[in-house]
Amino acid sequence: MTTDALSRVFAALADPTRRDMVARLAEGDATVSRLAEPYEMSLQAVYKHLRVLEDAGLVSRPPGPQPRAVRLEAEALDLMDAWIERHRRRVEERYRRLDALLARMEGEEDEQEPRDEDRSRPGRAGHPDDA
C-alpha cells in the first residue's frame, strides 16, 4: 500500500459512521443488514459507506449471492499503525531530548545558586558594606 492508500484509509475513517462500522466489524464479520441495524439511514446509504471502506481497503465482501458477510481487513489497520508508530517514536525521541536538556539546565542552575550553608561559613568574603 502506498501513501495514497494511507490517505484513503484516513479519509474513510474521518466519518464517524464508518469508524463505528469498522469498530463493529472488529468484533466479527457481519452482513450489510446487520451493519445497517443501528443507523437511521437507508440501506443504499449503508452501501455507500461500505463502498468507501472497500475502496480504502478496510473491508471486503466475498463475491457471491446475498447475504454476504462484510469482513474487516487488518492490513489497512497495520498500515495506519505503522505510520502512527513511526511518528510516535519521533515525537517521543524529541521529548526525551527536551527532558535531558531541561535536566542539564536544572543541574547547572543548582550548581550556580549559592546554598544557605555557604552564606554562613566563616571566612567567606562578603559584601564590603558587611564589614
Side-chain angles (χ1 to χ4, degrees):
M1 292 185 142
T2 65
T3 303
D4 287 341
L6 183 63
S7 295
R8 284 193 303 272
V9 168
F10 279 117
L13 293 175
D15 183 273
T17 300
R18 291 192 287 266
R19 283 195 308 272
D20 185 61
M21 288 178 174
V22 167
R24 291 177 57 222
L25 288 169
E27 300 297 320
D29 297 356
T31 63
V32 174
S33 299
R34 175 63 63 121
L35 278 175
E37 286 174 0
Y39 310 115
E40 293 184 19
M41 65 177 72
S42 68
L43 206 53
Q44 183 179 7
V46 172
Y47 274 107
K48 285 183 180 181
H49 281 294
L50 286 175
R51 187 76 196 145
V52 173
L53 292 171
E54 281 180 306
D55 289 346
L58 284 160
V59 301
S60 64
R61 289 183 291 160
Q66 300 290 347
R68 297 180 289 170
V70 179
R71 171 174 293 124
L72 184 62
E73 296 297 333
E75 294 84 23
L77 299 176
D78 292 342
L79 176 67
M80 286 176 32
D81 186 51
W83 185 88
I84 291 168
E85 190 56 36
R86 181 176 62 243
H87 293 286
R88 180 191 323 271
R89 282 192 306 267
R90 286 180 180 172
V91 169
E92 287 174 350
E93 178 57 32
R94 286 180 47 214
Y95 282 128
R96 279 193 292 275
R97 288 193 318 259
L98 178 60
D99 287 343
L101 175 63
L102 291 173
R104 279 194 311 269
M105 291 172 66
E106 189 174 281
E108 289 172 6
E109 273 183 15
D110 289 346
E111 289 174 8
Q112 292 175 1
E113 288 180 13
R115 296 185 305 240
D116 289 337
E117 60 198 40
D118 290 341
R119 290 187 188 126
S120 63
R121 241 189 290 158
R124 182 178 170 267
H127 192 273
D129 291 340
D130 290 343

